[in-house]
């Protein structure tokens, strides 16, 4: 019987050491129950739910989310996932041949692909500025990124928390500098809601997207896209449907365009208040603090065993509830498979350009023994001398 006070709130398999909350989160039982209840209500009268009651619930849910991330609910729309928001914005910008989108070499691969697709079709450039690792401080980061700015730079696209390297980037300082140069900034905050504090209004990004189904623990397929008011008329719907030139327009064309886009199950979006309640009722802030402590206390040991080093100073500025360490392996896919199949550890082993990173995520239900299990498994694999090079 586990002594962890949070574990029983999740459905997670007791036979697996779960160290990958970062990819898709996991829903706590009270949130799952609310999700099922919405789906049941929907099936009692799908027409009334989709056209009437569900829309009211959606408004309530969006208001709760907007309060949580500190923005006007009129400036956010619910989307299934961050890639949806990146596609919507990238495909709306009126880029011209020769224009440039500036980014880092630490971005999420699917977002890189979106920008490369859009830029290639137009003859624009997606400039991936190389950032030196380990990060030293915010100033050096900003200097390296802005060395890529030139007269053609139309937008900076940057992760708030990176995926493969699990680093919190100094987006506040990036936005401050970009504003002084009149360059718009699009922040990919997929990992941010429920992980680190977010005040969108204070941050001042032009565009922001975040996933509610990772660290906020809402059902999968619930994310948001924020667009600053002055840009809303230029961001077109990815799916053109009844919201375009709506017969019965609401008070906002932006909301119509991005909300009325055909039949879909939007019950995941409605569970945001339940997810926020869960975090409040179970002191999730405290669980986050303990998780961060565990992440850092173990960081050096993992870096040492892998003959590597931490990718940033181990402070709140750069490290949250995930930690990545570079791992030298020619077979990352086989290493992942070995960890899950032989050692029953769920942990991502990810390629990024010419490097491979292993990333552990820690949340309230994790315990030190989970990281000990990982440590022992890596030691065992290293001792065999085939999959990991030291
Ligand atoms: C940094 C970052 N951006 C964007 C995404 C895109 O998420 P999705 O595939 O759900 O759209 C992810 C997913 O993990 C991510 O880690």
């Amino acid at each position: 019987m586990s002594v962890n006070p949070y574990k029983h709130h999740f459905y997670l398999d007791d036979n697996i050491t779960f160290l990958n909350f970062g990819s898709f989160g996991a829903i706590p039982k009270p949130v799952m129950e609310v999700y099922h209840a919405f789906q049941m209500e929907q099936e009692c009268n799908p027409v009334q739910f989709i056209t009437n009651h569900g829309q009211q619930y959606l408004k309530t849910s969006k208001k709760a989310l907007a309060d949580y991330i500190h923005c006007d609910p009129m400036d956010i729309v619910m989307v299934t996932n961050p890639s949806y928001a990146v596609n919507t914005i990238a495909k709306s910008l009126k880029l011209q041949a020769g224009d440039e989108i500036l980014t880092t070499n630490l971005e999420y691969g699917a977002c890189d692909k979106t920008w490369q697709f859009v830029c290639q079709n137009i003859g624009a450039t997606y400039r991936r500025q190389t950032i030196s690792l380990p990060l030293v401080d915010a100033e050096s980061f900003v200097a390296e990124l802005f060395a890529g700015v030139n007269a053609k730079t139309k937008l900076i696209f940057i992760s708030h928390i990176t995926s493969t390297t699990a680093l919190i980037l100094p987006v506040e300082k990036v936005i401050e500098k970009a504003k002084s140069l009149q360059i718009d900034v699009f922040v990919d905050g997929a990992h941010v809601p429920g992980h680190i504090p977010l005040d969108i209004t204070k941050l001042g990004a032009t565009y922001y997207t975040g996933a509610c189904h990772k660290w906020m623990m809402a059902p999968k397929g619930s994310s948001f896209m924020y667009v600053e008011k002055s840009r809303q008329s230029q961001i077109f719907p990815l799916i053109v449907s009844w919201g375009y030139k709506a017969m019965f327009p609401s008070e906002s064309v932006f909301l119509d365009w991005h909300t009325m886009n055909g039949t879909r199950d939007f019950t995941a979006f409605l569970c945001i208040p339940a997810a926020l309640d869960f975090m409040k009722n179970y002191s999730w802030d405290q669980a986050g603090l303990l998780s961060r402590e565990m992440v850092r206390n173990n960081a050096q040991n993992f870096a040492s065993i892998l003959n590597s080093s931490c990718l940033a100073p181990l402070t709140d500025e750069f490290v949250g509830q995930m930690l990545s360490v570079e791992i030298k392996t020619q077979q990352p896919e086989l290493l992942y498979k070995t960890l899950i199949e032989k050692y029953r550890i769920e942990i991502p082993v990810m390629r990024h350009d010419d490097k491979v990173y292993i990333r552990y995520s820690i949340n309230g239900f994790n315990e030190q023994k989970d990281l000990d299990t990982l440590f022992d498994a890596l030691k065992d694999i290293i001792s065999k001398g085939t999959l990991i090079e030291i």
Side-chain angles (χ1 to χ4, degrees):
M1 187 69 189
S2 170
V3 290
N4 181 294
Y6 296 118
K7 198 150 192 171
H8 72 280
H9 293 304
F10 292 83
Y11 299 96
L12 292 164
D13 184 346
D14 273 338
N15 297 313
I16 300 280
T17 301
F18 194 73
L19 291 169
N20 187 8
F21 206 78
S23 283
F24 308 112
I27 312 181
K29 291 174 186 172
V31 179
M32 194 68 173
E33 282 157 16
V34 169
Y35 189 25
H36 280 157
F38 276 128
Q39 290 183 322
M40 293 300 291
E41 187 179 339
Q42 175 166 244
E43 294 317 313
C44 288
N45 187 337
V47 178
Q48 279 304 309
F49 189 90
I50 290 170
T51 62
N52 189 1
H53 305 136
Q55 300 303 328
Q56 297 308 316
Y57 297 141
L58 186 58
K59 266 194 183 156
T60 307
S61 190
K62 267 189 60 188
K63 170 82 173 73
L65 177 63
D67 287 348
Y68 183 65
I69 60 176
H70 302 280
C71 68
D72 184 342
M74 300 294 282
D75 297 343
I76 51 169
V77 288
M78 302 310 300
V79 295
T80 48
N81 54 337
S83 300
Y84 193 104
V86 176
N87 272 266
T88 302
I89 292 164
K91 290 170 185 171
S92 291
L93 296 180
K94 291 204 168 57
L95 293 174
Q96 297 186 346
D99 286 348
E100 297 199 2
I101 303 294
L102 177 65
T103 192
T104 75
N105 63 333
L106 305 174
E107 302 308 317
Y108 187 63
C111 298
D112 280 340
K113 280 178 189 281
T114 303
W115 285 110
Q116 278 153 353
F117 171 81
V118 167
C119 288
Q120 194 179 324
N121 286 345
I122 291 168
T125 299
Y126 182 58
R127 185 177 293 281
R128 295 175 76 226
Q129 197 70 1
T130 299
I131 303 295
S132 308
L133 294 179
L135 297 182
V136 176
D137 54 32
E139 289 68 31
S140 321
F141 177 91
V142 170
E144 284 192 331
L145 176 63
F146 280 79
V149 167
N150 60 45
K152 296 170 187 163
T153 308
K154 289 290 175 281
L155 178 90
I156 292 174
F157 176 74
I158 184 169
S159 288
H160 201 159
I161 301 180
T162 61
S163 174
T164 44
T165 47
L167 294 165
I168 301 173
L169 299 183
V171 293
E172 298 81 2
K173 294 216 161 58
V174 168
I175 293 167
E176 195 182 305
K177 175 133 182 136
K179 281 202 162 153
S180 74
L181 301 169
Q182 293 180 314
I183 299 172
D184 286 353
V185 180
F186 181 176
V187 179
D188 170 6
H191 283 278
V192 169
H195 188 170
I196 58 172
L198 176 60
D199 185 330
I200 292 212
T201 304
K202 203 159 132 202
L203 191 62
T206 320
Y207 312 101
Y208 196 104
T209 183
C212 304
H213 52 230
K214 289 183 188 273
W215 299 90
M216 247 181 83
M217 303 176 285
K220 282 144 200 63
S222 52
S223 301
F224 69 88
M225 174 176 80
Y226 163 88
V227 177
E228 186 192 272
K229 284 192 200 310
S230 67
R231 299 292 188 276
Q232 288 175 3
S233 64
Q234 295 149 39
I235 301 304
F236 301 108
L238 196 58
I239 307 294
V240 174
S241 182
W242 293 106
Y244 184 68
K245 297 188 178 172
M247 199 184 298
F248 303 106
S250 73
E251 67 275 51
S252 160
V253 171
F254 173 66
L255 297 190
D256 290 348
W257 278 4
H258 300 282
T259 306
M260 288 191 256
N261 46 16
T263 310
R264 57 183 172 160
D265 182 352
F266 55 90
T267 50
F269 301 155
L270 310 183
C271 301
I272 283 162
L276 293 171
D277 281 348
F278 178 83
M279 290 197 283
K280 197 164 147 215
N281 295 342
Y282 293 98
S283 312
W284 217 242
D285 281 354
Q286 186 58 22
L289 273 179
L290 295 174
S291 299
R292 282 203 290 280
E293 214 172 279
M294 204 191 297
V295 164
R296 288 169 210 183
N297 288 346
N298 288 272
Q300 213 58 62
N301 278 351
F302 280 99
S304 302
I305 195 185
L306 295 171
N307 195 18
S308 189
S309 54
C310 294
L311 299 174
L314 298 172
T315 62
D316 277 343
E317 191 182 359
F318 296 112
V319 179
Q321 288 176 231
M322 302 192 290
L323 190 104
S324 282
V325 179
E326 187 184 345
I327 188 163
K328 291 173 197 72
T329 176
Q330 300 301 317
Q331 297 169 285
E333 292 77 19
L334 182 59
L335 178 55
Y336 166 76
K337 198 166 146 54
T338 304
L339 283 163
I340 185 67
E341 289 181 1
K342 179 165 180 212
Y343 299 93
R344 316 289 290 161
I345 303 171
E346 186 68 63
I347 186 165
V349 181
M350 299 173 283
R351 293 176 188 264
H352 192 107
D353 292 340
D354 59 345
K355 295 197 180 340
V356 178
Y357 296 96
I358 185 163
R359 181 190 75 194
Y360 62 73
S361 299
I362 298 296
N363 216 336
F365 52 80
N366 288 113
E367 297 171 3
Q368 179 57 41
K369 73 173 167 52
D370 297 336
L371 288 177
D372 294 344
T373 303
L374 173 64
F375 192 83
D376 291 344
L378 291 175
K379 223 161 70 180
D380 195 37
I381 296 170
I382 290 167
S383 73
K384 298 197 164 63
T386 49
L387 261 180
I388 302 176
E389 299 137 31
I390 290 299

